[in-house]
Amino acid sequence: MKLKDIVVFLSMFIVIFVICLFLPQEIPIHFNAQGEADIIVNKYFLLIGTMIPYSAYWQFFRKENGKTD
């Protein structure tokens, strides 16, 4: 089960990394009330977001040993 979890996480990480290759170097992630970007990050900052789909996988698709539904 641990190997499957690692494979799922790495595949999600690789997909997000490939997407980052096609993005511009700087990405605005927050805008103020006037519509101006006030927080701009490097495109590889988005790799931290890998935890979001992985946590959804962990919650809804991962089955623990000995647990039946």
Side-chain angles (χ1 to χ4, degrees):
M1 183 59 78
K2 291 181 183 183
L3 180 62
K4 179 183 174 188
D5 293 340
I6 292 170
V7 169
V8 168
F9 179 77
L10 287 177
S11 64
M12 288 179 185
F13 188 84
I14 290 170
V15 167
I16 293 174
F17 179 77
V18 170
I19 291 170
C20 284
L21 294 176
F22 295 100
L23 294 175
Q25 192 64 30
E26 295 180 339
I27 298 178
I29 61 170
H30 189 268
F31 297 88
N32 60 17
Q34 290 79 29
E36 302 165 343
D38 56 357
I39 298 177
I40 299 173
V41 298
N42 189 300
K43 65 182 176 181
Y44 296 109
F45 180 79
L46 298 177
L47 291 174
I48 296 172
T50 305
M51 297 301 173
I52 297 168
Y54 183 72
S55 63
Y57 157 77
W58 186 271
Q59 178 69 30
F60 298 112
F61 298 107
R62 185 174 184 267
K63 301 285 184 194
E64 294 185 19
N65 292 336
K67 186 176 181 182
T68 59
D69 290 284

